């Protein structure tokens, strides 16, 4: 395989490059940031790019944004996200055009180099390699999004006011309905979010968290 690595940790970047080279793969470039990544890919498109999520300058989501762009501009190049973190919003965007040639592995879960190289082979060949934790969080995000979509416009309005910390009395005054009507809307929200009564959990807080996650 011809491989490009984008990783800001010098030890991990050089270690990966050496391990892959020893196994007979050609590491075209091992870079630290997004501009250098695209410069390398433009110069000689690899079979697969290994990209960390948090790259300079802000160390937030530069790598994921770069992966989405790579998928769009270089559809023949596989992209393997290799990170400590799961960022489901961009993973969904990464998979939006199909799962072919996409991978997402968590660094701490890779214990065998053979498994990592096998995942690289699958991604380079147009297959998929997703860590189980990534899949679990994606499904969870999808379920929450579907639950929010079930809400009526009025229930969404009530939930938005709940997210602002408003009481039922304040919500009733804001949308000009009775408190009893607000209570009914709140109950419907709990039902649609599958939040049963509980002495241990605060359902209003849980409902707001699910809303904000979407």
């Amino acid at each position: 395989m011809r491989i490009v690595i984008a990783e800001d940790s010098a030890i991990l970047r050089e270690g990966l490059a050496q391990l892959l080279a020893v196994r007979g793969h050609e590491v075209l470039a091992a870079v630290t940031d997004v501009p250098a990544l695209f410069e390398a890919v433009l110069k000689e498109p690899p079979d697969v790019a290994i990209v960390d999520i948090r790259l300079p300058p802000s160390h937030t989501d530069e790598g994921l944004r770069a992966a989405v762009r790579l998928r769009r501009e270089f559809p023949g190049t596989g992209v393997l996200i290799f990170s400590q973190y799961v960022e489901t919003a961009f993973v969904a965007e990464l998979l939006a055009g199909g799962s072919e040639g996409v991978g997402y592995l968590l660094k701490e879960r890779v214990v065998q180099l053979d498994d990592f190289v096998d995942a690289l082979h699958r991604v380079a060949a147009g297959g998929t390699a997703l860590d189980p934790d990534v899949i679990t969080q994606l499904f969870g995000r999808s379920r929450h999004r579907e639950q929010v979509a079930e809400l009526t416009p009025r229930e969404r309005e009530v939930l938005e006011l709940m997210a602002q910390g408003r009481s039922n009395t304040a919500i009733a005054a804001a949308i000009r309905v009775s408190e009893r009507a607000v209570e009914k809307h709140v109950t419907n929200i709990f039902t649609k979010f599958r939040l049963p009564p509980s002495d241990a959990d605060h359902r209003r807080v849980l409902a707001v968290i699910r809303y904000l996650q979407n």
Side-chain angles (χ1 to χ4, degrees):
M1 291 180 292
R2 294 171 304 151
I3 303 165
V4 167
I5 301 169
E7 167 63 60
D8 68 321
S9 167
I11 293 175
L12 184 55
R13 183 178 64 252
E14 297 305 322
L16 269 177
Q18 290 180 26
L19 287 169
L20 291 168
V22 165
R23 286 175 173 254
H25 304 294
E26 184 181 3
V27 178
L28 302 175
V31 302
T32 61
D33 56 34
V34 173
L37 167 63
F38 279 93
E39 182 180 345
V41 173
L42 280 168
K43 181 178 179 181
E44 188 173 355
D47 299 310
V48 60
I50 303 171
V51 185
D52 188 16
I53 288 178
R54 302 191 175 184
L55 295 173
S58 71
H59 296 279
T60 54
D61 58 11
E62 285 91 341
L64 266 177
R65 291 178 183 274
V68 172
R69 182 181 160 195
L70 276 174
R71 288 271 288 163
R72 183 174 62 249
E73 298 182 9
F74 301 90
T77 295
V79 178
L80 176 68
I81 298 295
F82 192 43
S83 179
Q84 296 172 267
Y85 312 97
V86 179
E87 299 286 351
T88 54
F90 278 103
V91 177
E93 186 175 349
L94 192 64
L95 296 170
S99 59
E100 299 84 3
V102 176
Y104 196 135
L105 299 181
L106 299 178
K107 292 176 179 177
E108 69 273 14
R109 300 266 299 225
V110 176
V111 295
Q112 297 290 336
L113 183 58
D114 286 343
D115 294 337
F116 180 76
V117 174
D118 179 63
L120 270 181
H121 274 294
R122 293 203 307 274
V123 172
T128 305
L130 297 177
D131 186 278
D133 280 357
V134 175
I135 296 171
T136 298
Q137 292 198 37
L138 277 173
F139 276 124
R141 184 174 182 271
S142 177
R143 283 196 298 270
H144 289 169
R145 187 167 57 243
E146 290 170 0
Q147 289 170 353
V148 171
E150 291 179 12
L151 301 180
T152 65
R154 179 63 89 183
E155 288 163 357
R156 281 175 175 267
E157 189 175 12
V158 169
L159 187 52
E160 287 173 3
L161 291 167
M162 285 170 57
Q164 296 173 23
R166 304 284 190 92
S167 66
N168 284 359
T169 302
I171 293 172
I175 62 177
R176 299 181 180 179
V177 298
S178 67
E179 281 192 55
R180 186 175 182 83
V182 172
E183 290 171 2
K184 182 178 179 181
H185 290 312
V186 172
T187 298
N188 289 341
I189 292 168
F190 292 157
T191 300
K192 291 178 179 179
F193 279 7
R194 285 70 164 172
L195 294 173
S198 170
D199 293 332
D201 299 317
H202 196 304
R203 291 193 292 172
R204 288 178 80 94
V205 174
L206 293 177
V208 166
I209 289 172
R210 290 196 186 179
Y211 171 70
L212 294 176
Q213 286 176 333
N214 289 273

